[in-house]
Amino acid sequence: MAASLALAAPCAAQLSNTAARRSTPFQAAAACPCKAFLQGAPLAKVSSSSSASAAAPKRRQLRGAVAAAGEAAAPAADYRQRAPKDVRVLVVGATGYIGKFVVRELVSRGYNVVAFARERSGIGGKQTAEDVQKDLPGADVRFGDVMSMESLSSVAFKDKVDVVVSCLASRTGGIKDSWDIDYQATLNAMEAGRKQGASHFVLLSAICVQKPLLEFQRAKLAFEEKLQNAGDITYSIVRPTAFFKSLAGQVQLVKEGKPYVMFGDGTLAACKPISERDLASFIADCVSETDKVNKVLPIGGPGKALTARDQANILFEAAGVKPNFFPVPVALMDGIIGFLDLLAKVLPQLKDGAEFGRIGRYYAVESMLLWDPETQQYVADATPSYGKDTLEDFFKKAVKEGLKGQELGDQAVFGVNKE
């Protein structure tokens, strides 16, 4: 039992890290855009380089039902009519795992990109302002604080802006951090953008908000509702499934011959992981493509949905080692969460610890796929696919070259990215 506890706790922390950055990974009811399912919302068209199955009418309906109500037309003076070099796109969360890829993608497409970041960013604040500028060539890098309206107004949004792209996400998934970043800081960016003429807002959210049981999910949904009701700015809400990085936590351990830790038999939940490069490309599409205006857009990577056992087998093959699993019962996680909740009543500082446990459990049992509230099931075939990068290729590269560039953030566990 002691060994199980020792492995279950870091596994929960690893999964919570996934949630803090989505996802990924690696999530009230009245505000949830999933009510569109029950209201017969229109189809959401998703362009894709690897098409998802759409044979059955039910699947087509599910895929499109998350499109938000109110298909408002683009403004008369549509920035899309101008050359990209004449379109200013401001990215907040520009140094995050996805944010930096979004900045580079937008720069490569010729946009006038402003990247707003903290002066000390990255894992543990190790990146200096100089490091960030070198990391984001071609962008106008500006530094400040997304929690400060004065900083946003006088630095980030000192010039007129056409589009705001938010890649902000809680660094920990903790209760206060979630509401500070996933809600308040993102709201600050929207309000500052509106004042400077932004006509479109692209939000990196997470597919898990469709079934909100966690604080960061509620915070994200609260902002989504604000954005959808703003009225004077259009939006594209991108809800990706798992990121490759959120599934990378056990690569080194498996290479060393250690067992792959999973909950239950490894088939409790599944996802369609997407690479940072493909996701960045999709987000950039949301800047230019009118069919993504005023839509909630769930998106996954190419190929079929993968369970934890599927992912493990892909990793075992890439590493050239014999499959070796260490199953952890979900009930053990329930016990840990209950114990932490009890302690938190006496020691409030432990509330985040209990929340991390809930995040870990959520990712153990909930799939990162499109949710059908009518059947109360996740529907893999209705979850749109996009891009070309596969998890198989990612694992092969990670086994051969390591995980540089796949840092899991401040809550990294399993010994990954410890310098």
Side-chain angles (χ1 to χ4, degrees), residues 53-61:
S53 171
K58 174 66 173 176
R59 291 172 183 171
R60 290 197 299 269
Q61 180 184 7

Side-chain angles (χ1 to χ4, degrees), residues 105-405:
E105 179 66 22
L106 290 168
V107 168
S108 74
R109 296 191 186 195
Y111 288 103
N112 178 358
V113 181
V114 176
F116 191 61
R118 294 169 291 156
E119 289 191 0
R120 303 289 303 191
S121 59
I123 299 173
K126 293 177 181 177
Q127 270 195 318
T128 66
E130 185 179 357
D131 292 332
V132 173
Q133 289 171 330
K134 290 179 179 178
D135 204 31
L136 301 175
D140 176 4
V141 183
R142 303 176 186 179
F143 298 96
D145 182 5
V146 288
M147 290 298 293
S148 166
M149 284 301 296
E150 193 283 328
S151 179
L152 285 167
S153 298
S154 63
V155 181
F157 292 90
K158 65 180 182 179
D159 306 302
K160 291 290 184 182
V161 170
D162 296 296
V163 183
V164 180
V165 177
S166 174
C167 296
L168 293 169
S170 164
R171 288 177 290 275
T172 66
I175 297 170
K176 183 178 185 301
D177 195 49
S178 293
W179 284 98
D180 281 351
I181 305 301
D182 292 309
Y183 177 75
Q184 190 59 58
T186 315
L187 179 62
N188 290 348
M190 181 185 77
E191 296 296 352
R194 292 166 74 187
K195 290 178 181 178
Q196 279 292 53
S199 60
H200 191 58
F201 194 104
V202 181
L203 174 68
L204 175 60
S205 186
I207 202 168
C208 56
V209 302
Q210 63 192 335
K211 194 176 179 183
L213 301 176
L214 305 168
E215 209 63 32
F216 85 89
Q217 297 164 339
R218 299 184 187 103
K220 284 181 180 294
L221 278 177
F223 175 73
E224 285 190 12
E225 184 180 25
K226 286 281 189 180
L227 176 59
Q228 290 172 304
N229 293 333
D232 60 349
I233 188 168
T234 58
Y235 59 84
S236 299
I237 297 174
V238 181
R239 291 181 175 176
T241 63
F243 304 154
F244 284 0
K245 74 138 184 186
S246 63
L247 308 179
Q250 302 189 64
V251 170
Q252 188 58 40
L253 296 178
V254 168
K255 284 176 61 177
E256 295 170 357
K258 294 182 174 64
Y260 186 97
V261 181
M262 63 186 185
F263 286 98
D265 64 356
T267 64
L268 298 175
C271 64
K272 295 179 73 172
I274 188 168
S275 72
E276 68 281 351
R277 179 172 59 182
D278 285 338
L279 180 55
S281 177
F282 185 80
I283 290 173
D285 289 348
C286 291
V287 172
S288 61
E289 297 181 5
T290 57
D291 67 336
K292 294 176 176 58
V293 172
N294 288 349
K295 299 287 179 63
V296 175
L297 302 161
I299 196 69
K304 68 175 186 177
L306 302 171
T307 65
R309 183 173 285 272
D310 293 330
Q311 297 159 27
N313 284 326
I314 293 171
L315 179 55
F316 290 139
E317 184 174 350
V321 299
K322 183 179 178 180
N324 182 12
F325 298 96
F326 188 97
V328 176
V330 175
L332 181 62
M333 184 63 67
D334 292 335
I336 294 172
I337 295 169
F339 180 65
L340 290 173
D341 275 333
L342 185 63
L343 288 179
K345 292 180 180 179
V346 181
L347 302 170
Q349 63 269 31
L350 294 180
K351 286 183 178 180
D352 274 356
E355 185 70 4
F356 296 150
R358 281 187 285 271
I359 292 172
R361 188 190 190 283
Y362 189 101
Y363 282 101
V365 301
E366 302 289 347
S367 292
M368 298 299 104
L369 301 169
L370 199 62
W371 172 255
D372 182 356
E374 289 186 17
T375 63
Q376 294 290 293
Q377 293 180 334
Y378 291 102
V379 188
D381 288 344
T383 306
S385 294
Y386 181 94
K388 299 179 180 179
D389 296 337
T390 66
L391 187 64
E392 290 90 338
D393 289 340
F394 170 77
F395 277 157
K396 288 177 182 176
K397 183 177 180 180
V399 167
K400 182 179 180 180
E401 302 177 9
L403 289 166
K404 184 175 176 57

